[in-house]
Amino acid sequence: MAESNFIDYVKIMCRSGKGGAGSRHFHRAKYVPKGGPDGGDGGRGGHIILRGNRHLWTLLHLKYQRHVFAGNGAPGTGGRSFGKDGDDKIIEVPVGTAVFDAESGKFLCEVTNDGEEVKLLKGGKGGLGNWHFATSTNRTPRYAQPGEPAIEKTVILELKLLADVGLVGFPNAGKSTLLSAISAAKPKIADYPFTTLQPNLGIVSYHDEKSFVMADIPGIIEGASEGKGLGLRFLRHIERNAVLLFMIPADTNNIIDDYNILLRELEQFNPDLVDKPRVLAITKSDMLDDELIDEMRQHLPDGVPVVFISAVTGYGISELKDILWATITDENNRIPIDITHRDLDIRHREKDEDDFIFENEPLPDDDTDYFEDEEDWDDEYWADDHKDDE
C-alpha cells in the first residue's frame, strides 16, 4: 500500500434511478373502434449496490468518482409493453467498509464478506399503466401512475482493516520496528514522532505453516479521541481486530499510567474496544537485566498478559508469538459478527473530505401529466371526468 495511495475515507454522492412512468395508451386497430386501455407499466429505477471485493485494499478508486448515478426506468408503452428497468450501479468496496450518512453521521450499513452485496439506495418503482385501472364503470381511464422518484444521498465510506492483532501505542513505541522484525512488511522507521502516517499490514509466520495478520496504526497521544494527533483518524482500523497488543517502551516514566491513557482513549473513541482481549508488550527491553525485569513485573497492570521484548535483538519475540497465537485462537476471543459502529461526529470527520464541493447534476425534467400530488399516488387516482367519451 503506497503512502499516497492508501485512502480509507471518502465522501460520495449517490442517486438511485427513478421509476419509469406508466403509459396512458389505448389500443388502436382496424375494425376495433374501442380497443380499450393497454398502456404498459414503467420500468424500475436502478439500485445503488455495494459489493465486497477482497482484492481491493483501499478506497482510492472512489476518490475520483464522487458521483454515482444509477439508470432511470423507461416508461411503459402501448400493447401492455413494460418499460425497461434502469441499470443498477454496483460499487466495489474493500471488505470491512462501513457506510455513514454524510448529513447526520448515522451508521447505515457495512460490507464484511467478499462478494456480499448491500443495497444502499433502492430504485424507484415503475408506475402502473392505465389498463390496471379499467373497471366496469370506468372503461377508458385516461391516467396512469408516475414512477417513484429517485433517492439521492451523500454518504461517507470508511474502511476498517481486518486483522488478527492491532498494535496500540504512543509514537516511537517500537510498533513499526516490531512489524518489520516479525513479518515481511517494510514500514517507514525513524527516530521522530509520527513516522507512521498510515496503517501497515504484515503477515506473521508461526509454527507448522500457521500465520496471523498484524496491523500497525499511527501512534496515539493523550487527547486523540478529541482530535489531537493522527491516532483518531486511524483508530477505526482496530475496531475489527481480534486482539489488541499494547506496546509501551521500557524507559517510560510510568508504565501503568501510559497503559491507562491508551485504554482511556480507546474507550472514548468506541466503548466496545475495551472489551477486546489485550496483551501488553514492554518494548526496548534489551537495556534491562533480569533483576530489573523482575522488579518491574510487580508494578504492571493486573489481568493482562505481559511480555518483555526487543524487536532489534529478538528478545522475547517467540514468547510474544505464543501468547498472541493462544489469544487469537481462543474461542472466546473470536471477532463478533455484529460490531457496534459509533455514529460520526465532528471529531471523526476528515476536513478535506467534508469541504469537498459537489456539483449536483439536476434530475431530468419530466413534462408528462400524471398525478397532481405524488404523495397520494398509492392511494387515490384522479377522478375520471371523461368516462365513455371514446
Side-chain angles (χ1 to χ4, degrees), residues 38-292:
D38 67 347
D41 301 345
R44 169 188 60 81
H47 304 311
I48 300 293
I49 299 174
L50 300 178
R51 178 191 292 165
N53 188 336
R54 62 185 177 89
H55 299 293
L56 295 177
W57 290 94
T58 80
L59 297 171
L60 177 65
H61 61 293
L62 295 176
K63 185 175 179 61
Y64 305 102
Q65 186 184 0
R66 300 308 187 92
H67 301 85
V68 181
F69 298 152
N72 294 328
T77 56
R80 298 191 184 182
S81 297
F82 292 2
K84 180 182 177 182
D85 291 343
D87 294 331
D88 296 335
K89 187 66 175 181
I90 298 178
I91 306 175
E92 301 276 353
V93 295
V95 175
T97 300
V99 186
F100 300 85
D101 188 305
E103 300 297 330
S104 63
K106 184 178 179 180
F107 170 73
L108 299 177
C109 62
E110 62 179 332
V111 180
T112 56
N113 298 309
D114 180 45
E116 177 185 0
E117 293 189 354
V118 177
K119 190 181 296 182
L120 181 61
L121 296 180
K122 187 177 180 181
K125 292 181 179 179
L128 298 179
N130 62 347
W131 71 275
H132 286 279
F133 310 126
T135 65
S136 60
T137 59
N138 181 16
R139 298 184 179 183
T140 57
R142 297 179 178 276
Y143 47 79
Q145 285 183 337
E148 285 186 340
I151 301 175
E152 188 172 292
K153 185 183 293 292
T154 302
V155 298
I156 291 175
L157 303 183
E158 273 193 354
L159 172 61
K160 301 182 180 183
L161 295 179
L162 299 174
D164 299 304
V165 179
L167 303 183
V168 180
F170 291 105
N172 293 104
K175 302 186 298 299
S176 298
T177 304
L178 174 65
L179 185 65
S180 64
I182 64 178
S183 73
K186 302 299 180 184
K188 184 178 180 180
I189 301 173
D191 58 356
Y192 54 85
F194 297 113
T195 308
T196 302
L197 299 177
Q198 65 185 28
N200 294 288
L201 288 178
I203 299 178
V204 181
S205 299
Y206 193 60
H207 304 303
D208 301 327
E209 298 183 354
K210 300 174 183 176
S211 64
F212 57 88
V213 180
M214 180 176 287
D216 170 29
I217 67 170
I220 301 172
I221 63 175
E222 187 172 7
S225 60
E226 299 175 356
K228 296 182 180 179
L230 295 177
L232 171 71
R233 177 177 174 181
F234 299 106
L235 279 176
R236 68 176 76 101
H237 292 295
I238 63 176
E239 288 184 313
R240 293 189 182 279
N241 299 164
V243 179
L244 301 182
L245 176 59
F246 285 70
M247 301 183 64
I248 300 177
D251 57 356
T252 189
N253 294 330
N254 192 312
I255 294 178
I256 293 183
D257 287 348
D258 287 358
Y259 174 80
N260 290 333
I261 289 174
L262 293 172
L263 193 60
R264 183 167 59 251
E265 294 302 322
L266 297 184
E267 183 178 11
Q268 291 178 355
F269 179 79
N270 188 342
D272 289 350
L273 294 177
V274 181
D275 299 330
K276 290 182 178 290
R278 302 186 292 272
V279 177
L280 175 60
I282 308 301
T283 63
K284 307 177 183 178
S285 297
D286 52 320
M287 65 181 69
L288 307 177
D289 55 26
D290 294 339
E291 182 178 352
L292 186 55

